[in-house]
Amino acid sequence: MIGFIVAIPARYAASRLPGKPLRLIGGDPLVLHVARRALAAGAEEVWVATDDARIRDALQGTGVRVAMTRETHASGSDRLAECADIAGWPDEAVVVNLQGDEPFAPVAGIRAVAWALIDSGAEMATLATPVETAEALFDPNTVKLVRTAGGDALYFSRAPIPWHRDAFARDRDTLPSGPWLRHIGIYAYRAGFLRRFTGLPPGQLEQIESLEQLRVLEAGHRIAVALTPEPFPPGVDTPEDLARAEQHWARGA
């Protein structure tokens, strides 16, 4: 397999959990747990793109490289595009965007999204997993997707897609059989496309759904979607999530 880089956007001022990258799990900062998953996956380079010197200082001596980026970025992808320029990655470099709140991301999943990009030849790749309950299907915080027979994304939505006309007319509490897929927010792209993607204006679909990946589809580019080989445990967004992550780490330790 071609080597890949893992880049982790880590903004200090998270609205629901301020200082999130430095919150401790098992005595270590959250961002360090995420970086360790990237290192364990075999990334040639692991970068953290941050806007705060405290995050940089917490990673000293770990083998993780740090790019100090602007505070004003609207998204993690924008932050990584600046990181790409700071790091000087060539356009053909394979970059995995691993969210900074995924301390238990499976290494097989990190590798899988990189391989999906390389194997498909698409401009971008991501992962999905089956939706297991009707509650999740109708939850707007759970992003769903549909894809082609060849595995490319057709659409991402906060709404239930595809809409099972007959089954949902009768009952919306039971999940009918169907190709229900939940999006996992990990991405891979070539560094050159990362730069191009973040330079595109936000699309209308992206603004309606508040889903950045729709900008790629609306502009006519491909996103390959592979099924994750292992489950991704929930990320950390709130104090309650942090408490659950601490319990999960303790059980694993």
Side-chain angles (χ1 to χ4, degrees), residues 80-181:
L80 294 194
E82 184 182 358
C83 179
D85 291 337
I86 292 171
W89 297 329
D91 282 349
E92 66 273 13
V94 175
V95 180
V96 173
N97 178 347
L98 177 60
Q99 303 301 312
D101 56 7
E102 296 276 2
F104 308 114
V107 298
I110 298 170
R111 294 176 186 139
V113 74
W115 179 248
L117 180 80
I118 296 163
D119 189 47
S120 67
E123 288 92 345
M124 188 167 167
T126 192
L127 298 180
T129 193
V131 174
E132 296 180 346
T133 66
E135 180 181 10
L137 186 67
F138 282 89
D139 181 356
N141 294 314
T142 299
V143 177
K144 280 71 64 173
L145 65 91
V146 288
R147 59 181 185 164
T148 68
D152 284 357
L154 285 168
Y155 195 69
F156 297 82
S157 183
R158 298 184 183 278
I161 53 172
W163 182 262
H164 199 309
R165 186 193 64 175
D166 295 337
F168 292 154
R170 297 188 302 268
D171 175 18
R172 297 187 187 179
D173 296 321
T174 304
L175 186 69
S177 60
W180 317 114
L181 290 175

Side-chain angles (χ1 to χ4, degrees), residues 11-59:
R11 183 171 67 96
Y12 183 83
S15 58
R16 288 188 286 179
L17 190 61
K20 179 167 65 173
L22 297 181
R23 296 296 186 111
L24 299 181
I25 299 174
D28 288 329
L30 170 63
V31 67
L32 180 55
H33 285 277
V34 180
R36 285 172 176 161
R37 304 310 293 163
L39 290 166
E44 291 185 333
E45 300 176 17
V46 176
W47 284 78
V48 170
T50 187
D51 57 359
D52 195 284
R54 289 167 289 186
I55 296 172
R56 177 197 62 200
D57 295 344
L59 293 166

Side-chain angles (χ1 to χ4, degrees), residues 57 59-64:
D57 295 344
L59 293 166
Q60 287 185 351
T62 63
V64 176

Side-chain angles (χ1 to χ4, degrees), residues 145-233:
L145 65 91
V146 288
R147 59 181 185 164
T148 68
D152 284 357
L154 285 168
Y155 195 69
F156 297 82
S157 183
R158 298 184 183 278
I161 53 172
W163 182 262
H164 199 309
R165 186 193 64 175
D166 295 337
F168 292 154
R170 297 188 302 268
D171 175 18
R172 297 187 187 179
D173 296 321
T174 304
L175 186 69
S177 60
W180 317 114
L181 290 175
R182 174 174 64 84
H183 181 226
I184 295 172
I186 185 172
Y187 301 99
Y189 17 55
R190 302 280 179 175
F193 183 73
L194 169 62
R195 295 180 175 103
R196 289 172 55 202
F197 160 48
T198 55
L200 293 171
Q204 186 176 24
L205 297 175
E206 173 188 2
Q207 294 178 72
I208 290 171
E209 295 250 24
S210 293
L211 295 174
E212 185 184 38
Q213 61 271 36
L214 289 176
R215 188 188 317 175
V216 177
L217 297 184
E218 195 168 3
H221 300 294
R222 292 173 57 205
I223 302 178
V225 181
L227 296 180
T228 181
E230 293 182 21
F232 274 66

